[in-house]
Amino acid sequence: MRHRFVEDAMIKRSKLFGNKTRVTFSLPADEPAGRVSVVGDFNDWEPGRHELQARRNGTRTVSVPLDPGHYKFRYLASDGVWLDDEQADVVGPNGSEIRL
């Protein structure tokens, strides 16, 4: 399977109270076009649950508070295209992975 990557994607991690980490997924505002959700095993791969929202700085972001662990995820664009994030800790045949 060939991976299709999102250009200029970014993942930011911020420690929260307790052992949680806020993971912010960021994409350019216009690439890919249309709505984009981050889906993964942290949200039962449910499209639309964590949709990226446009920001004033020209990006789209969504933040997800997560417990320590390993999480697989991908971006799902409105045209049904799955995209991987090269900024992830691991990119494999089933998508990207972050390790907290």
Side-chain angles (χ1 to χ4, degrees), residues 8-9 16-17 32 35 38-39 42 48 56 58 61 67-68 80 87 97:
D8 299 321
L16 299 173
F17 290 110
R35 293 180 174 198
V38 62
V39 294
F42 51 82
R56 289 185 192 157
T61 67
D67 290 317
Q87 299 299 311
E97 184 179 323

Side-chain angles (χ1 to χ4, degrees), residues 18-97:
N19 61 355
K20 288 195 179 275
T21 300
R22 178 192 307 123
V23 180
T24 301
F25 300 90
S26 178
L27 298 177
D30 56 352
E31 186 60 37
R35 293 180 174 198
V36 178
S37 294
V38 62
V39 294
D41 45 21
F42 51 82
N43 64 11
D44 295 324
W45 297 90
E46 185 181 321
R49 192 153 156 209
H50 291 105
E51 185 177 319
L52 282 78
Q53 301 297 317
R55 306 295 175 208
R56 289 185 192 157
N57 66 0
T59 66
R60 290 181 281 186
T61 67
V62 67
S63 295
V64 183
L66 297 172
D67 290 317
H70 295 191
Y71 299 93
K72 288 189 167 78
F73 74 95
R74 297 184 93 182
Y75 297 104
L76 179 59
S78 58
D79 56 2
V81 172
W82 292 93
L83 302 159
D84 292 311
D85 190 327
E86 12 182 43
Q87 299 299 311
D89 297 323
V90 176
V91 179
N94 297 316
S96 306
E97 184 179 323

